[in-house]
Amino acid sequence: MRAAVVNTFGGPEVVEVVETEVPEPAARQVRIKVAAAALNPVDAGIRQGVFGGAGKRIGLGWDVAGTVDATGVASAWSVGDEVVGLHYGMVTPLGTHAEYVVLDTDAVALAPRTVDAIHAATLPLNALTAVQALDLLELTPGQSLLVTGAAGAVGGFAVQLASHRGISVTGLAREGDEELVRSLGAGEFVAAGRAGFDAVLDAAVLGEGALEFVRDGGAYVGVIPQAQPASVRGVRTSAVEVAADGSRLAELVGLVDSGVLTLRVAESFVLEDAGKAHGRLAEGGVRGRIVLVP
């Protein structure tokens, strides 16, 4: 099969599409024939060596939508099931940017019925990050939340999920994104932060500066694992480290099918053009996810 990998760190030009063996599922695993796989900023970080792994072949890709084509012993899935899943791995030989990928059975959920595979592939990583970040904040209906980077993938899901929970959501983004952010369910929009929120979900990675927007004793959650700013004024700070969770992913799929969550695709590339896709991501200004299609 073909797979996108890096053997050395650098810009988009270091991404290679290589021939490699089709992986075999072990016990409690499934093999998925990939229909689509999203490209995320974390893939660019891996390509640049942010997470280490020098001297190794490293696979790319975390999100996947496709069809189960083989199962290991004690798998809960059947050949032919259309699924989505999260492949968690900073430095692994193969990711989801491939023709086949093996995942643990509990990292997989049935795919949404209301969207195609290209859109479905944008759900797992970013929506799981958003919902697990919201869980860390422990907000109750009526409390106020500022989402920074509200027009981005994680931020957009956070706005929709928080609004669905009855939380009062304000989105922080560029002025040109106001219509988009309001359409996602933000009750208010700001292009510059202001103080007094019960919590901040910092999808824009503002870090310490975002603490200024939180009331004394409030809460902050970042999206870079273990990189949250130190607490000030009694503000509880934490950072989400996304975890593969098939049950939670199934709940998110249900929210897609019921119209609560919107899946946004910016552009799609064939797998052979993975390097070009990385180049497009590096240009910035992407609204929605870039998706690779084998």
Side-chain angles (χ1 to χ4, degrees):
M1 72 169 188
R2 295 171 302 150
V5 303
V6 292
N7 288 293
T8 187
F9 300 136
E13 71 281 355
V14 304
V15 177
E16 303 177 48
V17 177
V18 300
E19 292 285 337
T20 188
E21 292 184 1
V22 175
E24 294 296 332
R28 295 181 292 280
Q29 290 186 324
V30 295
R31 186 173 67 209
I32 299 168
K33 184 177 182 181
V34 179
L39 174 64
N40 289 281
V42 68
D43 294 305
I46 291 168
R47 186 196 77 224
Q48 294 164 344
V50 172
F51 306 105
K56 300 179 180 179
R57 187 186 80 173
I58 304 172
L60 300 167
W62 290 49
D63 293 298
V64 64
T67 305
V68 173
D69 94 311
T71 64
V73 176
S75 170
W77 300 96
S78 301
V79 172
D81 287 340
E82 294 184 3
V83 296
V84 290
L86 178 65
H87 174 269
Y88 182 91
M90 291 291 185
V91 182
T92 58
L94 289 173
T96 64
H97 295 170
E99 293 180 303
Y100 295 89
V101 65
V102 167
L103 297 184
D104 292 341
T105 57
D106 58 5
V108 174
L110 286 174
R113 303 183 309 275
T114 54
V115 298
D116 60 22
I118 292 176
H119 284 79
T122 68
L123 180 69
L125 175 59
N126 294 290
L128 281 169
T129 299
V131 76
Q132 291 170 7
L134 285 172
D135 291 346
L136 289 173
L137 290 173
E138 299 179 337
L139 294 173
T140 57
Q143 286 192 287
S144 61
L145 171 68
L146 177 70
V147 177
T148 74
V154 173
F157 282 134
V159 168
Q160 292 185 309
L161 290 164
S163 178
H164 183 64
R165 294 183 180 188
I167 295 164
S168 176
V169 184
T170 297
L172 172 64
R174 298 173 183 172
E175 290 184 0
D177 288 320
E178 179 173 0
E179 182 178 351
L180 168 62
V181 172
R182 288 189 180 276
S183 75
L184 295 173
E188 293 187 65
F189 173 88
V190 292
R194 65 167 189 264
F197 292 95
D198 292 316
V200 167
L201 195 160
D202 187 20
V205 196
L206 301 181
E208 186 177 350
L211 294 179
E212 300 175 7
F213 311 144
V214 188
R215 64 166 174 79
D216 293 357
Y220 164 102
V221 65
V223 296
I224 306 297
Q226 302 174 7
Q228 66 269 29
S231 175
V232 295
R233 298 180 288 103
V235 174
R236 176 172 54 87
T237 64
S238 60
V240 64
E241 182 167 1
V242 69
D245 185 337
S247 295
R248 205 65 189 281
L249 184 55
E251 294 174 8
L252 295 166
V253 166
L255 293 177
V256 171
D257 285 336
S258 64
V260 172
L261 292 181
T262 303
L263 303 180
R264 295 179 286 153
V265 173
E267 197 171 348
S268 63
F269 290 79
V270 295
L271 179 62
E272 210 65 42
D273 289 337
K276 292 180 181 179
H278 276 255
R280 176 66 189 92
L281 180 64
E283 291 173 3
V286 176
R287 289 292 174 260
R289 278 287 167 253
I290 294 167
V291 179
L292 293 175
V293 181

